[in-house]
Amino acid sequence: MSPRIGVVTFPGSLDDVDAARAVRLAGATPVSLWHDDTALRGVDAVILPGGFSYGDYLRCGAIARFSAVMETIVDAADAGLPVLGICNGFQILCESHLLPGALTRNRELHFRNRDQWLEIVNADTAWTRSFGEGARVVVPVKNGEGCYVADRATLDALEGEGRVVARYIGGNPNGSQRDIAAITNAAGNVVGMMPHPEHAVEALTGPSTDGLGVFASVLAHLGATV
């Protein structure tokens, strides 16, 4: 039986269908999870997709963190469940305090939508183990509030503990401090990523198929931990 990967749908989610398709292409079974349901339906990992959860009212992800499903996900993540937050999902992870820091308005106050080069800095997480450390990949970014910020002590800790997962190269699209595009928690099971790997899984529609490695990584991780 293939691993079951949950994909949460919040009011305002846009990329849940794309994330489910990426999961399927990687060889797993996508499982739809509803924001107002506490049940995780026996999934082996969870993806919080991109979009505009609850219309981005208050702050991006600020309302989603109080949804019923997130109460369960926070507990499960603390117990080791692999969780990936993409774009708005990254914002939700920060609002839920599963990851430190915050995502704020892009430095130049413009929405950014372009293909973006990244360097994989940490290939030891549940969501990057299929990449070689230092690998360079190209995936799309599309965000208006993608500027990662944190105090200096937090940034230094992320760097010193190897918790920066990916950096922007070839130009920083949103002004994120230290070119940070993705980070992880100390255990390596929770990853927040501002770029969209689910939009780089097929040569026909993406700038590359590099994003498929993110979803293949969690399958490898689950196989190694069974």
Side-chain angles (χ1 to χ4, degrees):
M1 179 180 294
S2 63
R4 292 163 51 85
I5 311 298
V7 180
V8 179
T9 297
F10 299 96
S13 292
L14 296 181
D15 299 308
D16 46 344
V17 174
D18 302 83
R21 180 173 178 78
V23 166
R24 191 176 297 110
L25 288 172
T29 300
V31 178
S32 296
L33 301 177
W34 185 239
H35 71 105
D36 200 31
D37 190 349
T38 59
L40 295 186
R41 302 179 60 190
V43 299
D44 303 297
V46 167
I47 296 171
L48 307 180
F52 304 90
S53 60
Y54 297 91
D56 279 350
Y57 286 106
L58 300 183
R59 294 182 308 277
C60 300
I63 298 177
R65 66 158 292 192
F66 293 107
S67 64
V69 75
M70 284 307 300
E71 294 181 14
T72 309
I73 289 172
V74 168
D75 290 341
D78 287 340
L81 183 76
V83 178
L84 172 67
I86 303 170
C87 197
N88 185 229
F90 188 1
Q91 296 161 345
I92 295 169
L93 290 177
C94 290
E95 290 286 343
S96 300
H97 305 298
L98 284 171
L99 294 174
L103 284 307
T104 63
R105 289 293 303 274
N106 291 350
R107 180 175 53 198
E108 297 179 359
L109 305 182
H110 293 295
F111 188 91
R112 293 302 186 195
N113 185 359
R114 73 188 198 194
D115 297 336
Q116 177 67 47
W117 282 96
L118 307 173
E119 179 183 0
I120 303 300
V121 181
N122 182 346
D124 292 327
T125 78
W127 299 92
T128 55
R129 63 184 299 163
S130 290
F131 297 100
E133 191 166 311
R136 297 191 170 197
V137 300
V138 59
V139 298
V141 293
K142 52 170 190 170
N143 60 72
E145 293 83 17
C147 179
Y148 181 77
V149 297
D151 61 82
R152 180 175 295 180
T154 298
L155 292 169
D156 289 344
L158 289 172
E159 302 243 31
E161 296 167 12
R163 292 171 54 194
V164 175
V165 173
R167 295 187 197 278
Y168 299 113
I169 54 175
N172 184 326
N174 46 42
S176 288
Q177 292 179 310
R178 303 192 189 182
D179 297 328
I180 290 173
I183 62 172
T184 185
N185 65 342
N189 62 302
V190 178
V191 168
M193 177 176 291
M194 187 49 54
H196 286 265
E198 78 280 16
H199 293 316
V201 294
E202 294 182 288
L204 178 64
T205 57
S208 71
T209 58
D210 293 340
L212 199 58
V214 172
F215 306 96
S217 290
V218 77
L219 301 193
H221 171 79
L222 292 170
T225 56
V226 169

